């Protein structure tokens, strides 16, 4: 009978440790992770007992020679519904092609699952990760960063060793809400684009709240709903808001994708934009200027975002820390007729 191949999972299970711990021990990075000597010896003993032979993917974490990068999303639904993602991908793919790197796209559906990131890296011989919009509980990202595995996250990621690129979600939401305030609105609803455990969604909500607070307006929870990335969720959230029968004259939506669903719901309920309700989004995705009415939004250069993230990640893969290592991209307010002001563009970079 053919002998079953022993996997790193088998070693981890027998030794009573995580797959990451086994990988660090075998790649001689255990000292960097402060793994106890007793644990190291137990792992090595099990490796010998099971006659485990690391494959090329298992050894890759230390060698990094595959010329493969991964673009990591928090959920596969983003690829289906978020119109900002293709812009980022186009820039990232362009840089990969120019530098001879392959690009893989992955979704981490359950960040609490042990070794989700480590397994992805090992099984696919990945040189570096560009992680978009992580959730607050994705602490495995820090495991990779702390052992100097190439990772690009958002510039606000709370790890002193992290490299990041993105834009200030807080500032974008703050400026969008401030613009509605400058137009005379005082009852401004918020339909955010994703659940609050996503760091960018939480940051955009804080920007909305801070703008109201600075204007001396109390936060009314009746005016707040949370969508789930898609046009459909924006539609449902807007209907929910309307059925609460709470008075409001404007809506800040967490992104343009959700705003499209919100606008459809308002049309279906007989609301005229902007006569009855003004709307502002974030992203300035290509369809935004062709909506009826065209959408006022915060512009972000999605393709430039992807290109810069790719360039920074390839630098890390080549052993060079990019300078600067945390970059906030500029944004600008694009005023269209979903609000009552005439077309214009105002800088809101900061």
């Amino acid at each position: 009978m053919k002998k079953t191949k022993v996997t790193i999972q088998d070693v981890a299970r027998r030794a009573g440790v995580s797959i990451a711990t086994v990988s660090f021990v075998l790649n001689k990075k255990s000292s960097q992770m402060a793994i106890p000597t007793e644990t190291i010896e137990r792992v090595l003993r099990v490796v010998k007992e099971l006659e485990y032979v690391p494959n090329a993917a298992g050894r890759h974490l230390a060698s990094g020679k595959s010329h493969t990068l991964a673009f990591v999303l928090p959920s596969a639904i983003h690829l289906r519904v978020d119109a900002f993602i293709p812009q980022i991908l186009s820039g990232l793919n362009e840089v990969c092609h120019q530098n001879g790197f392959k690009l893989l796209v992955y979704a981490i559906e359950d960040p609490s699952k042990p070794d989700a990131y480590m397994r992805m890296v090992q099984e696919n011989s990945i040189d570096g990760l560009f992680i978009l919009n992580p959730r607050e509980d994705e602490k495995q990202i820090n495991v990779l960063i702390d052992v100097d595995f190439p990772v690009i996250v958002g510039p606000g990621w709370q790890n002193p060793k992290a490299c990041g690129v993105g834009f200030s979600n807080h500032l974008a939401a703050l400026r969008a809400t401030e613009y509605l305030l400058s137009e005379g609105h005082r009852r401004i609803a918020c339909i955010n684009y994703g659940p609050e455990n996503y760091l960018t969604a939480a940051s955009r909500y804080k920007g909305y709240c801070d703008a109201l607070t600075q204007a001396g307006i109390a936060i009314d929870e009746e005016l707040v709903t949370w969508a789930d990335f898609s046009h459909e969720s924006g539609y449902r959230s807007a209907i929910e808001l309307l059925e609460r029968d709470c008075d409001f004259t404007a809506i800040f939506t967490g992104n343009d994708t959700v705003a499209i669903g919100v606008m459809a719901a308002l049309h279906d309920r007989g609301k005229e934009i902007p006569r009855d309700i003004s709307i502002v989004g974030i992203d300035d995705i290509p369809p935004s200027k062709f909506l009826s009415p065209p959408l006022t939004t915060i512009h972000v250069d999605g393709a430039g975002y992807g290109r810069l993230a790719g360039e920074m990640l390839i630098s890390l893969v080549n052993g060079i820390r990019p300078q600067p290592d945390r970059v906030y991209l500029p944004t600008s307010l694009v005023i269209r007729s979903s609000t009552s002001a005439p077309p214009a563009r105002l800088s809101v970079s900061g």
Side-chain angles (χ1 to χ4, degrees), residues 180 185 249-252 273-280 338-340:
L180 291 172
H185 297 284
T249 61
I251 303 175
F252 161 65
I273 305 168
R275 188 193 68 184
D276 299 322
I277 299 173
S278 289
I279 298 185
V280 176
S338 69
T339 52
S340 53

Side-chain angles (χ1 to χ4, degrees), residues 6-19 21-23 25-26 42-54:
V6 177
T7 67
I8 194 171
Q9 291 88 347
D10 297 327
V11 175
R13 192 179 305 111
R14 173 76 71 87
V17 298
S18 69
I19 295 173
T21 297
V22 176
S23 178
V25 169
L26 296 179
R42 184 166 71 253
V43 169
L44 293 175
R45 185 169 61 251
V46 171
V47 167
K48 185 176 181 180
E49 290 172 357
L50 297 181
E51 299 180 354
Y52 172 65
V53 178

Side-chain angles (χ1 to χ4, degrees), residues 34-347:
I35 298 174
T37 301
E38 179 185 348
T39 302
I40 296 171
E41 292 175 348
R42 184 166 71 253
V43 169
L44 293 175
R45 185 169 61 251
V46 171
V47 167
K48 185 176 181 180
E49 290 172 357
L50 297 181
E51 299 180 354
Y52 172 65
V53 178
N55 58 23
R59 291 189 298 269
H60 167 69
L61 190 61
S63 62
K65 300 295 184 181
S66 73
H67 278 74
T68 300
L69 305 181
F71 179 47
V72 184
L73 300 168
S75 171
I77 192 175
H78 284 71
L79 287 172
R80 298 196 300 271
V81 302
D82 192 335
F84 191 56
I85 300 297
Q87 297 179 74
I88 299 175
L89 266 173
S90 68
L92 179 59
N93 185 65
E94 178 184 326
V95 169
C96 288
H97 180 73
Q98 291 170 348
N99 290 273
F101 279 79
K102 293 177 291 185
L103 179 63
L104 305 178
V105 179
Y106 283 92
I108 298 292
E109 301 289 351
D110 184 4
S112 65
K113 190 174 181 179
D115 309 308
Y117 282 96
M118 187 66 63
R119 182 173 298 181
M120 178 180 63
V121 167
Q122 292 177 316
E123 292 180 352
N124 298 280
S125 296
I126 293 169
D127 286 339
L129 305 177
F130 170 29
I131 302 172
L132 186 72
N133 192 17
R135 287 158 282 205
E136 61 183 356
D137 58 347
E138 296 191 61
K139 304 305 182 186
Q140 294 178 53
I141 295 171
N142 286 329
V143 174
L144 293 170
I145 293 172
D146 287 340
V147 296
D148 298 321
F149 185 81
V151 174
I152 295 293
V153 284
W157 186 256
Q158 296 299 305
N159 184 315
K161 295 181 67 176
C163 289
V165 61
F167 62 96
S168 173
N169 292 279
H170 175 270
L171 180 63
L174 181 81
R175 294 293 184 257
T177 309
E178 285 181 339
Y179 171 67
L180 291 172
L181 290 165
S182 74
E183 291 292 294
H185 297 284
R186 291 298 178 267
R187 295 285 291 173
I188 302 173
C190 173
I191 299 179
N192 217 328
Y193 81 106
E196 197 170 5
N197 64 325
Y198 287 83
L199 296 175
T200 55
S203 186
R204 292 180 195 188
Y205 178 60
K206 187 175 187 306
Y208 158 81
C209 291
D210 286 350
L212 295 181
T213 300
Q214 291 167 18
I217 299 173
I219 308 304
D220 184 351
E221 294 297 334
E222 280 293 300
L223 296 179
V224 178
T225 62
W226 297 82
D228 194 17
F229 308 114
S230 66
H231 305 104
E232 291 81 3
S233 68
Y235 186 98
R236 291 193 301 270
S237 294
I239 295 298
E240 177 187 340
L241 197 62
L242 291 169
E243 290 180 348
R244 289 178 184 176
D245 199 26
C246 49
D247 180 51
F248 58 92
T249 61
I251 303 175
F252 161 65
T253 60
N255 71 8
D256 291 3
T257 299
V258 166
I260 291 171
V262 172
M263 293 174 73
L266 295 179
H267 283 305
D268 286 353
R269 289 301 175 96
K271 301 293 183 182
E272 186 174 328
I273 305 168
R275 188 193 68 184
D276 299 322
I277 299 173
S278 289
I279 298 185
V280 176
I282 292 178
D283 287 342
D284 195 20
I285 58 176
S288 296
K289 67 180 69 174
F290 301 108
L291 297 173
S292 180
L295 179 65
T296 295
T297 185
I298 300 291
H299 174 79
V300 185
D301 180 4
Y305 182 2
R307 282 193 296 271
L308 183 55
E311 290 165 358
M312 293 174 69
L313 186 54
I314 290 171
S315 288
L316 284 175
V317 169
N318 291 330
I320 302 170
R321 189 172 182 86
Q323 294 298 329
D325 54 13
R326 293 181 186 241
V327 179
Y328 284 91
L329 300 169
T331 59
S332 56
L333 175 65
V334 183
I335 300 172
R336 301 191 180 108
S337 50
S338 69
T339 52
S340 53
R345 175 170 290 190
L346 305 174
S347 174

